[in-house]
Amino acid sequence: MGSPLDFESIVGEIAGSVHRFREETAAITERVRALTADAWSSDEHVRIWVNARGVVIDTHIDLDDLHTVTPDELAASVTEATQKAARAVAAKATALQDQLWEHATKDGPRIEGLEQFRGIEPEVSLAPPTAEERRHRTT
């Protein structure tokens, strides 16, 4: 006959797994909250920074060449840089969320109904990239 189950060890192992899962989830969530990306327009007139949701948090316009740019060209540059930055931050966020999801479904404790949480996103900052609150978060 096999050895009796050591329930204390099993419970300890499960508790440890849950604890590690919670720690990794918190760390990745914090990284997602702090994400930023920036991009220049192809004409290099405009540089845009966005947060993890693609919301513009800072804008730089090169004033040296501004007198040669029409309002429509400037608007197109802003749009282009914003879309580039939004795509870049979306790729970063997706990579982090995929990492979390992989951990949750492969290494984490088995949780019934976990799929319903896949699309949940953390609150993200609207502070500019150099703000004090961003210096306290890891990216």
Side-chain angles (χ1 to χ4, degrees):
M1 188 145 95
S3 62
L5 291 175
D6 181 358
F7 287 111
E8 240 178 79
S9 292
I10 294 170
V11 170
E13 189 176 316
I14 292 170
S17 178
V18 169
H19 179 72
R20 285 187 301 280
F21 175 72
R22 289 184 66 200
E23 284 181 341
E24 183 160 331
T25 300
I28 291 173
T29 299
E30 192 61 26
R31 289 173 63 195
V32 169
R33 284 182 177 152
L35 279 179
T36 63
D38 68 291
W40 283 92
S41 59
S42 57
D43 59 16
E44 298 187 355
H45 292 303
V46 176
R47 184 178 185 189
I48 300 287
W49 285 264
V50 297
N51 68 11
R53 294 237 174 100
V55 174
V56 175
I57 56 173
D58 202 6
T59 304
H60 168 78
I61 298 174
D62 184 0
L63 298 177
D64 294 339
D65 298 334
L66 197 55
H67 65 280
T68 64
V69 178
T70 69
D72 287 343
E73 291 170 333
L74 182 59
S77 294
V78 169
T79 300
E80 176 193 10
T82 301
Q83 290 174 349
K84 281 181 175 178
R87 282 191 301 274
V89 83
K92 290 179 185 181
T94 297
L96 285 172
Q97 289 166 343
D98 287 349
Q99 178 185 350
L100 177 61
W101 186 250
E102 182 176 337
H103 177 69
T105 57
K106 291 184 180 171
D107 303 326
R110 303 298 173 242
I111 302 171
E112 189 173 323
L114 187 62
E115 180 67 33
Q116 67 183 327
F117 296 103
R118 185 164 171 91
I120 294 176
E121 296 180 9
E123 288 295 318
V124 298
S125 175
L126 293 175
T130 57
E132 180 70 24
E133 73 178 68
R134 291 197 180 278
R135 285 187 271 239
H136 298 292
R137 295 181 173 168
T138 57
T139 56

